[in-house]
Amino acid sequence: MKYSKATNYALHTMLFLAKEATNKPVGVQQLAEMQDVSPTYLSKILTKLVKEGMINSVSGANGGYTLSRNWEDISFLDIIHAIEGKSSLFDCCLYNDPKCVIKEVMLSAEETLENELRNRKISDLVKK
Amino acid sequence: MKYSKATNYALHTMLFLAKEATNKPVGVQQLAEMQDVSPTYLSKILTKLVKEGMINSVSGANGGYTLSRNWEDISFLDIIHAIEGKSSLFDCCLYNDPKCVIKEVMLSAEETLENELRNRKISDLVKK
DNA sequence: CAATTAGAGACTTTACATATCTATAATAGC
DNA sequence: GCTATTATAGATATGTAAAGTCTCTAATTG
């Protein structure tokens, strides 16, 4: 079980945009070079963030990506969910018992993880 | 990101053995049937638990698996680590910065998850 | 010795992450 | 309006790890 590289790229891109603190769009070319990943692939990842309303995209010359207006509220969990999806970490496929005690433990542990990630905002990492 | 099915099988097997509360070995055949998985595959998973000293195996007729002597101390985290390995959930491949703030957040979140799973023992689920 | 059971290793299959390629759409600057 | 630049979408390819199978070996019982 691992977080995907895509999540890593998304988090670092968000942090970079937050540090920039400018409204001028940053092109995927530049973002991709910094992270040593292909622009088309990164673009596909960032499109997910656009669809979740975390960043805005601007087509055309001098286009690129900018943070959305509410960016200071965006948590690690938001970004992770946008990339990895929101489905549970643990599937108890065993006879689909709704009262499976193992599932209960696993889901409650997952909840503590999510609470932690929900409390951590990208904007906290920017303030000096 | 998901926990593997193998982890699910391992957890359910441990819980079953704990509920049995007998020293008589339980064969992989029976354990596999209950969970609707092939015996050879489950055997491969259980061997990992044997190597970590969580269960004992007995070859030969009437053989099978029994809980180890210290089974009441075995946590969810122990079992998960035995199956999934102990490597971190998050690899920050980006220029390998040892002070990457994103990595710090992710690792500290992972630690809260592990603490939770460390405090949950299989034996807690058995007591009435 | 025969039956039963776990363990080990090679192999196959499946699923998903990680890309790549190409074509399309939008926008800026001229 | 034309051209260069940039994001988006879809199809396709590649790599890797999980999931599962098959076969042979080793240990134990009776």
Side-chain angles (χ1 to χ4, degrees), chain A residues 43-60:
Chain A
S43 142
K44 187 165 294 191
I45 293 165
L46 297 187
T47 298
K48 290 186 181 177
L49 300 183
V50 171
K51 289 195 171 148
E52 295 294 325
M54 300 184 192
I55 57 179
N56 305 116
S57 69
V58 183
S59 272

Side-chain angles (χ1 to χ4, degrees), chain B:
Chain B
M1 184 171 78
K2 277 216 175 284
Y3 283 104
S4 66
K5 286 187 180 187
T7 292
N8 188 34
Y9 296 142
L11 288 169
H12 275 94
T13 299
M14 289 297 292
L15 179 59
F16 178 82
L17 291 177
K19 277 183 174 168
E20 280 292 282
T22 168
N23 319 17
K24 228 181 69 180
V26 182
V28 77
Q29 194 70 40
Q30 180 187 350
L31 294 165
E33 263 173 34
M34 291 185 342
Q35 306 187 55
D36 194 31
V37 59
S38 90
T40 45
Y41 184 43
L42 183 59
S43 144
K44 185 169 295 187
I45 294 165
L46 297 187
T47 298
K48 291 186 181 178
L49 300 183
V50 172
K51 289 192 172 150
E52 295 294 327
M54 300 181 193
I55 57 180
N56 305 116
S57 70
V58 183
S59 272
N62 301 317
Y65 298 92
T66 59
L67 287 175
S68 73
R69 222 164 297 115
N70 66 337
W71 72 274
E72 303 210 19
D73 297 329
I74 296 172
S75 69
F76 274 65
L77 185 63
D78 292 328
I79 300 168
I80 291 169
H81 274 168
I83 304 300
E84 309 251 344
K86 293 184 181 179
S87 84
S88 165
L89 295 190
F90 186 76
D91 286 332
C92 189
C93 30
L94 193 61
Y95 29 77
N96 239 351
D97 182 356
K99 283 189 181 172
C100 171
V101 287
I102 288 173
K103 185 158 80 175
E104 280 175 18
V105 170
M106 296 299 284
L107 293 190
S108 103
E110 183 178 352
E111 231 167 278
T112 67
L113 174 66
E114 294 202 340
N115 283 335
E116 185 77 10
L117 291 171
R118 204 181 341 260
N119 287 330
R120 300 306 214 94
K121 318 255 186 234
I122 288 290
S123 57
D124 296 335
L125 301 184
V126 174
K127 293 163 186 158
K128 308 118 243 205

